[in-house]
Amino acid sequence: MSHTTIKSEQNLKSSIRKMNIRIPGFSPSKVLDFGAGTSSSFSALQEVWPKSLEKVNLIEPSQSMQRAGRSLIQGLKNLPLIHSYDNIQSLSKSISKSEREHDLVIAVSLFFQGSNQNFTFVYDSCIQILANFFFHTIFNL
């Protein structure tokens, strides 16, 4: 695992812990992790909100990252319902409009991709991905 990946996971876990402190009583039951990678956010979610999580939808285009994520949670007990999708369109087609609401959306890892020389391309791609994401979820299309 690269230093950047470990640092990203640490930052994500720290952000989730801070959210729990800053928003007392917030306890998400449905979470969407957009750009989930190996689902590293899952351990932080389980640590902070172990009893409230009912469903976690993961969107990750890389099959190898999805497999790695599945192997990391294999054998864990008391897991919420977890579904993995290759893209936002697959999620939209697989669930009904009433199921598209999530209490928490994580989209952090999208911005840690790419090198400095490709930053503009990556940034523009992330903006487009997020625009598509909101188009398909907020407007329930």
Side-chain angles (χ1 to χ4, degrees), residues 10 14 20 32 45 53 55 74 77 80 82 90 101 103 108 111 116 124 135:
Q10 290 170 345
S14 175
N20 189 43
L32 173 63
L45 293 168
L53 289 178
K55 185 174 186 178
Q74 189 174 29
K77 297 180 184 203
I82 302 170
S90 296
E101 291 184 12
D103 303 315
V108 176
F111 297 103
N116 289 338
D124 290 344
F135 182 77

Side-chain angles (χ1 to χ4, degrees), residues 101-114:
E101 291 184 12
H102 293 83
D103 303 315
L104 177 63
V105 176
I106 299 171
V108 176
S109 297
L110 292 174
F111 297 103
F112 292 105
Q113 307 288 327

Side-chain angles (χ1 to χ4, degrees), residues 2-129:
S2 75
H3 174 71
T4 304
T5 302
I6 293 169
K7 188 68 174 167
S8 299
E9 289 179 17
Q10 290 170 345
N11 289 340
L12 178 59
K13 287 181 179 188
S14 175
S15 295
I16 289 173
R17 288 185 195 113
K18 287 177 185 175
M19 183 186 316
N20 189 43
I21 293 167
R22 291 181 180 157
I23 310 173
F26 178 68
S27 191
S29 61
K30 291 174 65 177
V31 176
L32 173 63
D33 190 347
F34 189 67
T38 60
S39 313
S40 58
S41 63
F42 187 73
S43 63
L45 293 168
Q46 282 289 93
E47 177 186 315
V48 175
W49 297 294
K51 296 183 180 173
S52 70
L53 289 178
E54 296 173 10
K55 185 174 186 178
V56 179
N57 286 318
L58 307 170
I59 298 177
E60 175 54 53
S62 169
Q63 294 296 313
S64 61
M65 294 295 258
Q66 286 184 26
R67 282 191 299 276
R70 282 192 296 273
S71 70
L72 290 173
I73 63 171
Q74 189 174 29
L76 296 179
K77 297 180 184 203
N78 301 320
L79 295 176
L81 183 61
I82 302 170
H83 289 286
S84 205
Y85 302 93
D86 294 338
N87 54 53
I88 192 69
Q89 291 83 2
S90 296
L91 170 72
S92 295
K93 289 177 184 175
S94 299
I95 61 176
S96 68
K97 287 183 180 183
S98 64
E99 294 177 302
R100 292 183 188 170
E101 291 184 12
H102 293 83
D103 303 315
L104 177 63
V105 176
I106 299 171
V108 176
S109 297
L110 292 174
F111 297 103
F112 292 105
Q113 307 288 327
S115 65
N116 289 338
Q117 65 194 31
N118 294 326
F119 177 76
T120 302
F121 171 75
V122 171
Y123 179 77
D124 290 344
S125 297
C126 288
I127 296 301
Q128 183 62 47
I129 289 168

